[in-house]
Amino acid sequence: MKTPKKLTNRLQSRKDNNALRSLTLPSTLVDFSSNDYLGFAQSETIFKETHQYLINHNFNQNGATGSRLLSGNYYLYNDVEKFLSDFHQTTSATIFNSGYDANVGFFSSVPQRGDFILYDAYSHASIRDGIQLSNAKAFKFLHNDLEDLEKMLKRLRPLDCAQGDKDIQSNKEMLNQVQHNNAEIYVVTESVFSMDGDSPDLVAISKICKKYNAFLIVDEAHAIGVFGAGLVQKLNLQNDVFARIITFGKAMGCHGAAILGSKSLQNYLVNFARSFIYTTGLPPHSIATIKMAYQQLRLCSSEFEKNEQICIENPQNQLQKNIHHFIKEVKRLQLNFIPSCSAIHCCIIPENSTVKLISEKLHQNGFDVKAILSPTVPKGKERLRFCLHSYNSTEEISEVLEFLSIFVNN
Ligand SMILES: Cc1ncc(COP(=O)(O)O)c(C=O)c1O
């Protein structure tokens, strides 16, 4: 069968830019690339406990059999959603089939025509795809730049919040204000950015949102597990955030996602989020794995929080130790990394061909570190992305960074 010319042209242009993607199989190299931050995806305990749980509770069905609104809902879904809402100190948790589905479902359905979405310029593709499907107007603010965010909010709600700020109270602005009187404003950010590993000042963002009467949404995909129940809870902001997106495919080591928020938000999503409605639900095995992974996380987190001198094998403790060691080594070797306290650390190496070459050299030396190419990141911001895990050793970290230091300096 012939391939349409436009498709071959696009593929060729990817090749010409050194940016053609292809699928590879898992390697036996030292893992600095997966999102399995706590090793839960490989946990025999979680695997066995899930199996036993399904047997004990007579879940002998392989598939959900339909959309959750038709035949695909079952009691384990409700049980795990209740567990998640308690664990995350909120009133509802709505499970979606993936984080991608959750973001697309939320942003395509919640903001309405006439509303505004202000999103961080580095927001994940799933957030941006959801926004594209929305009828609301969307504007991006500079990455983690609260001044830029506030400038936009001021423009959208000039009189509410800026009394005394004479220069913005022009006729035009007043007109805008009237126009936007009924408009809701949604502000979206990530607690850990997937391509940079950095975090916004969530306390300050939530204050700004309160001041301008905007709804805050935080995607916690890369914070869950790495920072216990996530950064929103760590900062005690759960009551100041309208919705949190949590995903289970990263530190939780399984699959799926949930949107945390109010009961009425849940009711709305079940009625209007098309990526929730028009798809088959997850099989019982997936939902049971989420439950077992969370039980494991609860165990680690309570150990972690109770005592600094905890069991050396606690994966949260191991991960934190590795993050500290990585940061210390980056400083010692004077490498150019984006500042980060999370499990994601990125070294900017401009040009697809250069970053690819260094990633290949690290591969040849036994380390799986992925090159993130443009157009996934802006041109000139190509990078090596290191994902750190509880199961990396400090020796592996020192070794891979020593190699990197040699390769970038040659
Ligand atoms: C910030 C962020 N949100 C959402 C997603 C999507 O999650 P999932 O892999 O469960 O579809 C990802 C995954 O890459 C992500 O990094």
Side-chain angles (χ1 to χ4, degrees), residues 18 349-360 371 384 407:
N18 246 313
I349 302 173
E351 288 294 328
N352 280 349
S353 53
T354 317
V355 72
K356 256 174 123 170
L357 184 71
I358 295 185
S359 155
E360 272 157 26
L384 276 182
F407 299 147

Side-chain angles (χ1 to χ4, degrees), residues 33-309:
S33 81
S34 81
N35 293 323
D36 188 19
Y37 304 122
L38 297 173
F40 281 14
Q42 330 159 26
S43 159
E44 220 178 301
T45 309
I46 294 173
F47 186 85
K48 284 186 177 154
E49 280 178 2
T50 301
H51 184 68
Q52 204 50 53
Y53 183 90
L54 291 166
I55 291 172
N56 292 350
H57 292 79
N58 272 329
F59 283 112
N60 44 18
Q61 221 171 284
N62 297 316
T65 80
S67 159
R68 290 187 64 188
L69 278 168
L70 299 172
S71 58
N73 203 32
Y74 41 90
Y75 117 84
L76 188 53
Y77 253 124
N78 296 15
D79 176 55
V80 173
E81 286 183 339
K82 169 81 176 67
F83 178 95
L84 290 172
S85 60
D86 290 346
F87 186 89
H88 287 291
Q89 300 172 346
T90 182
T91 43
S92 87
T94 312
I95 295 179
F96 281 68
N97 288 1
S98 69
Y100 187 90
D101 283 357
N103 275 328
V104 166
F106 182 94
F107 289 101
S108 62
S109 68
V110 172
Q112 307 289 308
R113 189 180 302 284
D115 291 345
F116 294 91
I117 307 169
L118 305 183
Y119 65 103
D120 187 287
Y122 288 7
S123 292
H124 189 258
S126 54
I127 296 173
R128 286 185 280 120
D129 287 359
I131 290 173
Q132 283 229 322
L133 291 170
S134 163
N135 288 320
K137 274 210 176 95
F139 300 99
K140 61 181 169 202
F141 55 92
L142 297 173
H143 178 54
N144 281 345
D145 188 330
L146 303 197
E147 257 179 50
D148 198 43
L149 170 64
E150 187 155 13
K151 223 181 335 172
M152 289 182 173
L153 284 163
K154 227 177 216 180
R155 242 182 277 140
L156 295 173
R157 296 215 200 273
L159 292 187
D160 293 2
C161 317
Q163 265 113 21
D165 196 347
K166 292 201 180 78
D167 50 293
I168 64 156
Q169 291 180 17
S170 64
N171 282 346
K172 190 165 154 251
E173 299 272 7
M174 284 172 77
L175 245 176
N176 276 349
Q177 202 254 344
V178 174
Q179 225 171 338
H180 304 325
N181 236 355
N182 291 323
E184 302 292 5
I185 302 174
Y186 296 88
V187 172
V188 55
T189 189
E190 295 172 23
S191 50
V192 172
F193 279 87
S194 59
M195 287 300 149
D196 291 61
D198 57 353
S199 298
D201 183 342
L202 283 176
V203 173
I205 291 196
S206 95
K207 272 192 195 141
I208 292 175
C209 286
K210 224 181 247 175
K211 180 172 165 193
Y212 291 91
N213 191 22
F215 292 102
L216 177 60
I217 299 111
V218 183
D219 181 328
E220 293 243 67
H222 294 278
I224 297 300
V226 174
F227 299 107
L231 279 178
V232 168
Q233 256 167 279
K234 194 162 188 235
L235 298 167
N236 202 22
L237 295 172
Q238 53 273 37
N239 295 327
D240 301 316
V241 172
F242 175 61
R244 279 176 274 170
I245 287 84
I246 57 169
T247 69
F248 311 130
K250 307 192 189 299
M252 301 313 292
C254 41
H255 194 79
I259 297 180
L260 310 176
S262 67
K263 280 269 180 227
S264 61
L265 175 64
Q266 178 173 55
N267 193 15
Y268 184 84
L269 292 168
V270 168
N271 277 278
F272 293 99
R274 294 167 72 83
S275 61
F276 177 90
I277 301 166
Y278 297 107
T279 188
T280 302
L282 289 168
H285 184 272
S286 295
I287 306 296
T289 312
I290 296 168
K291 183 164 176 162
M292 296 308 126
Y294 260 85
Q295 283 180 355
Q296 193 69 24
L297 178 67
R298 190 166 55 181
L299 199 71
C300 304
S301 297
S302 64
E303 263 186 24
F304 188 71
E305 276 155 23
K306 255 191 262 158
N307 187 354
E308 298 288 310
Q309 301 277 301

